[in-house]
């Protein structure tokens, strides 16, 4: 079976969040199952530099405002998987964030940039671009690739199976309605309702309507998005898709996230030999300018600093954390007021709060390894990957009971502790009081070294590799 994954991000070349991790790892897991899997990504500078052996497949254009478009095929770093790269300098020769300009605003031509991504996918599916390879399944990720199923569906002669994965419904790919003139899609009569969302154009809606199947990245989020609370106005449409909407949990790439062989760490460790983790903690405390105290509970955040991630809750719970003798390391970037809040906290408590604004992959690894507790108090969380990384690193995740967090973190209740199933801490209310209360419970357990070790080990040996999820995706492809 020939599968084409279509996405805007791919680790380690272009990454804003977990989407990049998934797009790098899932195709490899599918290839390991014997599926003929390729990816299609926009040719941002980092991609053109990072994909090796790039060869020209076809030259086309002008289209979407680009005079020259060259489709190239090369090999991804590490996995060696084949990747199509859209080399369209007019649209993609821009460094940094794939969606935002240097002023922090969306690029004004994003509708054209990502329409081109979907359009190339559709024409690869039609067999027009590469004489040697034609996908049977086009698997599109998030709104950036959302027009791929729409372009394919608008050609009645194409039988390509399409799957659309929602990684985050909050980003609906909204544009002024008149931008549809640039897209070459039918948008009149009944077709209009397939693309139009409250007077705007939505790439996300286009995908939800046109893809043969839709899935999201955890079973709980698949249920949540069918409700008004989590549906961003698209819940009715998602309810209508009924059995064609499902949830498949993301996996972890343990070749990237493994404390036994992680080049970013000062010392490696395993579930049976946790000495190395103590070294990681002490080194992290030194690096952050904290007192090197093995017994001081070290909390961490590695996250986009946004209200989705409940970062205001962390700021609200900070006094309680500090009063309990805790330390906090934050790695992330995001909304200005939240960044300012953390910056102020670090300035007020330099010996216990350290904040690193920006993206730093190696630091993220050191922090997840060195911390005792990772805070993920999200308001909504389609899957969440950092709690899964924390589990493997013996760092207990403390999370809110939503989406993929609810599916992966088992609360340390007395019953679960007795049963040996607990792997972290879970709370319900989206408020800092509820977070503080659960943090206090976590600290009670922390003082019981034997009980703590049992929960740590439970998480470290759990298997969240891609094998099981890849099997489910393969079954989904076969069903269409
Ligand atoms: P989301 O995709 O919603 O941001 P996930 O938990 O799925 O959330 O994925 C986040 C990914 O981004 C993880 O791989 C995490 O380690 C990484 N990450 C987040 N912020 C940073 C940062 N500031 N520096 C390095 N890595 C980060
Ligand atoms: C999104 C979600 C996150 C998920 C990631 C990968 O960015 O916010 O929960 O883990 O995609 O699927």
């Amino acid at each position: 079976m020939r599968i084409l994954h279509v996405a805007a991000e791919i680790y380690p070349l272009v990454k804003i969040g977990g989407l990049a991790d998934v797009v790098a790892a899932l195709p490899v897991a599918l290839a390991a199952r014997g599926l003929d899997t390729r990816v299609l990504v926009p040719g941002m500078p980092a991609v053109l530099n990072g994909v090796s052996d790039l060869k020209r497949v076809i030259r086309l254009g002008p289209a979407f405002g680009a005079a020259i478009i060259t489709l190239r095929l090369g090999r991804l770093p590490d996995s060696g998987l084949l990747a199509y790269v859209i080399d369209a300098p007019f649209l993609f020769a821009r460094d940094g964030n794939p969606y935002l300009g240097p002023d922090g605003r969306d690029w004004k031509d994003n509708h054209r940039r990502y329409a081109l991504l979907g359009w190339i996918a559709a024409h690869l599916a039609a067999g027009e671009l590469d004489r040697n390879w034609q996908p049977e399944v086009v698997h599109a990720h998030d709104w950036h690739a959302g027009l791929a199923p729409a372009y394919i569906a608008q050609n009645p002669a194409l039988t390509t199976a399409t799957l659309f994965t929602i990684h985050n419904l909050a980003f609906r790919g909204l544009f002024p309605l008149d931008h549809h003139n640039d897209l070459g899609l039918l948008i009149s009569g009944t077709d209009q309702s397939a693309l139009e969302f409250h007077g705007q154009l939505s790439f996300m809606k286009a995908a939800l309507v046109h893809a043969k199947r839709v899935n999201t990245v955890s079973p709980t989020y698949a249920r949540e998005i069918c409700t008004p609370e989590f549906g961003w106005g698209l819940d009715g449409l998602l309810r209508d898709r009924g059995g064609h909407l499902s949830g498949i949990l993301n996996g972890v790439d343990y070749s990237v996230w493994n404390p036994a062989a992680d080049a970013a760490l000062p010392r490696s460790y395993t579930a049976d030999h946790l000495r190395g983790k103590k070294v990681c903690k002490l080194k992290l405390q030194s690096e952050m300018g904290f007192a090197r105290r093995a017994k001081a509970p070290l909390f961490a955040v590695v996250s986009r600093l946004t209200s989705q991630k409940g970062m205001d809750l962390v700021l609200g719970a900070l006094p309680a954390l500090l009063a309990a003798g805790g330390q906090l390391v934050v790695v992330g970037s995001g909304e200005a007021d939240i960044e300012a809040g953390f910056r102020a906290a670090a300035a007020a408590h330099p010996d216990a709060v350290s904040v690193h604004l920006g993206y730093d992959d190696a630091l993220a690894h050191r922090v997840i390894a060195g911390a005792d507790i990772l805070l993920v108090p999200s308001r909504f969380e389609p899957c969440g990957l950092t709690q899964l990384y924390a589990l493997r690193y013996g760092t207990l995740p403390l999370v809110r009971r939503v989406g993929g967090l609810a599916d992966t973190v088992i609360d340390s209740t007395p019953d679960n502790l007795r049963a040996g199933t607990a792997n972290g801490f879970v709370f319900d209310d989206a408020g800092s009081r509820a977070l503080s209360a659960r943090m206090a419970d976590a600290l009670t357990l922390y003082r019981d070294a034997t009980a703590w070790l049992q929960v740590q080990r439970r998480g470290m040996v759990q298997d969240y590799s891609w094998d099981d999820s890849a099997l489910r995706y393969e079954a989904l492809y076969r069903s269409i």
Side-chain angles (χ1 to χ4, degrees), residues 15-19 21 257 302-304 308-309 331-333 358-361 364 368 381 384-386 389:
K15 169 164 166 173
I16 298 300
L19 170 66
D21 296 15
W257 292 96
V302 176
S303 178
R304 293 185 287 117
Q308 172 194 341
K309 299 292 182 179
V331 184
S333 63
Y359 179 86
D360 187 335
D361 194 33
I368 288 182
E381 196 61 74
L385 292 170
T386 56
Y389 302 155

Side-chain angles (χ1 to χ4, degrees), residues 71-374:
L71 185 67
R72 301 184 192 277
L73 183 64
R75 295 208 174 263
L76 290 170
D78 304 329
S79 68
L81 214 69
L82 286 168
Y84 291 101
V85 177
I86 307 169
D87 185 1
F90 194 78
L91 296 173
F92 297 136
R94 305 174 196 180
D95 284 315
N97 189 300
Y99 318 117
L100 312 177
D103 59 357
R105 289 164 187 254
D106 289 341
W107 292 109
K108 281 211 168 61
D109 55 354
N110 270 351
H111 66 297
R112 291 188 177 163
R113 301 170 79 221
Y114 292 106
L116 175 61
L117 177 64
W119 188 81
I120 294 276
H123 289 272
L124 269 168
E128 292 173 282
L129 303 185
D130 188 346
R131 241 180 297 140
N132 300 313
W133 198 81
Q134 183 177 8
E136 293 160 295
V137 179
V138 167
H139 184 164
H141 298 267
D142 261 356
W143 74 261
H144 330 112
L147 292 195
Y151 287 122
I152 290 170
Q154 291 208 343
N155 179 346
L158 270 186
T159 55
T160 317
T162 50
L163 171 64
F164 180 74
T165 299
I166 303 167
H167 292 266
N168 194 335
L169 193 62
F171 300 103
R172 288 161 295 175
L174 297 175
F175 300 98
L177 198 55
D178 62 6
H179 283 24
H180 84 264
N181 294 319
D182 293 341
L183 305 181
L185 279 166
L186 303 171
I187 181 163
S188 60
T190 50
D191 290 318
Q192 174 151 349
S193 66
L195 302 172
E196 192 241 276
F197 181 77
H198 300 292
Q200 288 182 287
L201 196 66
S202 166
F203 280 32
M204 176 67 83
K205 182 175 176 189
L208 301 183
V209 171
H210 290 107
K212 294 213 172 99
R213 293 286 188 283
V214 174
N215 85 301
T216 186
V217 288
S218 70
T220 294
Y221 193 60
R223 286 190 298 275
E224 288 171 342
I225 55 178
C226 290
T227 67
E229 189 188 349
F230 294 97
W232 296 93
L234 292 162
D235 44 294
L237 175 55
L238 288 163
R239 283 195 298 277
D240 289 346
R241 299 258 9 202
H244 287 176
L245 167 70
S246 60
I248 301 179
L249 203 62
N250 285 334
V252 175
D253 185 344
Y254 289 125
S255 71
V256 177
W257 292 96
N258 172 14
D262 185 333
L265 305 190
R267 190 73 61 83
S268 60
Y269 58 93
T270 62
D272 292 329
H273 297 95
L274 276 161
R275 277 254 319 253
K277 183 167 174 70
K278 296 203 170 104
V279 175
C280 290
K281 176 172 175 178
L282 293 173
K283 292 250 182 204
L284 184 63
Q285 286 174 320
S286 300
E287 185 182 347
M288 299 300 137
F290 299 165
R292 282 168 62 107
R293 283 178 26 227
K295 292 219 159 114
L298 181 49
F299 292 82
V301 165
V302 176
S303 178
R304 293 185 287 117
L305 303 180
T306 64
S307 80
Q308 172 194 341
K309 299 292 182 179
M311 287 298 122
D312 47 316
L313 273 56
V314 176
L315 284 166
L318 193 58
L321 185 157
L322 295 171
Q327 302 170 333
L328 174 68
V329 184
V330 177
V331 184
S333 63
E335 291 161 14
D337 52 337
I338 298 176
E339 286 193 357
F342 279 117
R343 226 185 278 119
H349 309 279
D351 52 346
V353 180
S354 182
V355 175
H356 300 261
L357 299 176
Y359 179 86
D360 187 335
D361 194 33
L363 179 62
H365 282 247
R366 292 200 297 282
V367 168
I368 288 182
D372 296 303
I373 297 172
L374 183 81

